[in-house]
Each structure stands twice: as structure tokens, then as C-alpha cells.
Amino acid sequence: MPPKQAALTIDLDTLASDISADGGPAPELRRLSYARAVPRLLGLLDSEGIKATFFALGADAADPECAALIRRIVLEGHEIGSHGLTHDRNLALKPPGELRRDLLLADRYLTAAAGKKPRGFRAPGAFPSEDLLRALGEAGYDYDSSVNASLIYNSAKAAY
């Protein structure tokens, strides 16, 4: 029987990136997403012999509890990519200086957690722009995985 093959990417946008009481993400929501979902997902992937790319937020990697799980993802043979600093859905529309600052901070936290710099990037909301792609090239990324061809996803995004 041929080996199993899959191309699997997972966005780790936590509850904290969407829900907050005072405009800032609540650490307990961030930790809940990582503590519950990530170990279960790693177990499933391991049981099927599948490796994946996890696109994580820099702000999550700055949290020591989440950083430990990001490190575990890498140690289990998966890739960590950047999903930006805070999941700002308007990131691609920011001026070049703000784009570079977001990428730099996300890189700093993700590199510290994962033990190596992310090679790939996925824009929050899967929305790239020319300025964002240029900033990614300047920041040394090998690839961008922002375009999503799903009819369902893009219809829901347009309605939002």
C-alpha cells in the first residue's frame, strides 16, 4: 500500500484573537485553545502519520504556556508558520512600516518558541496584498499561503 500523503495546514487563531472584554486578548482564552485543541490534534496527526504546518500568532507564542506547545509541535516534526502578531484581519491593508513591524514582532516570538524562524506566512483572513507580499520577501519568508480557493470560505468572508 502506498504511504499516506496529505497537505494539511492549520491556523491557530485562538479564542483570544476574536473574544476580549477590554480590547486585549484574555490570556486564559489563548491558553484554553492551546491546552485543549493542540494536544488532541497532535495525537490525531500522529495516529495517522501526518505532518502539518501550523500557522501561529506571535502574540500566542509570547505566552509561555502556548510557547511550550508551539515547541512541542516542532519537536513532533511539524512546521510552524506565522499568522501575524495578533490576527489583525486588516493587516494586508496596513502601511509598509506597520506590516514590517507586525512581521518582525511575530517572528521574534515565534522563533523563540519554535527554535527557528518561520519559513511560511498566512495572512489573517487569508487576504494578501502587494505590500504584504513585498514585506514578506524583505523579511526572508520562503512562501506565502494566504490565498484560499474555497468557495464556502470566500462566500462567508464576503458576507462578513
Side-chain angles (χ1 to χ4, degrees):
M1 181 178 340
K4 294 178 185 175
Q5 294 185 6
L8 182 62
T9 64
I10 298 146
D11 291 354
L12 292 176
D13 351 319
T14 64
L15 292 170
S17 66
D18 292 320
I19 302 170
S20 67
D22 60 354
E28 63 275 2
L29 292 176
R30 174 180 294 119
R31 291 179 190 133
L32 177 65
S33 298
Y34 273 81
R36 295 255 176 106
V38 170
R40 293 171 76 183
L41 187 51
L42 288 172
L44 174 65
L45 294 172
D46 183 57
S47 72
E48 295 298 321
I50 296 172
K51 299 300 179 192
T53 300
F54 290 75
F55 290 96
L57 301 175
D60 291 349
D63 181 299
E65 291 180 35
C66 298
L69 284 161
I70 287 172
R71 185 69 177 152
R72 177 179 165 192
I73 289 168
V74 172
L75 290 172
E76 292 189 17
H78 304 282
E79 179 183 354
I80 291 291
S82 177
H83 201 32
L85 182 63
T86 63
H87 204 262
D88 180 349
R89 285 184 181 87
N90 294 315
L91 179 64
L93 303 175
K94 301 287 184 188
E98 287 184 43
L99 287 171
R100 286 190 293 273
R101 188 170 30 261
D102 187 283
L103 293 175
L104 177 68
L105 288 171
D107 277 0
R108 183 178 299 154
Y109 294 126
L110 289 166
T111 299
K116 56 185 164 184
K117 182 187 181 328
R119 295 177 42 239
F121 180 84
R122 175 170 293 149
F127 176 68
S129 68
E130 286 186 37
D131 285 339
L132 176 59
L133 295 174
R134 189 174 304 105
L136 290 170
E138 292 168 0
Y141 280 88
D142 292 332
Y143 68 91
D144 172 72
S145 183
S146 297
V147 176
N148 186 332
S150 166
L151 179 60
I152 294 169
Y153 177 81
N154 288 318
S155 297
K157 189 167 92 173
Y160 173 76

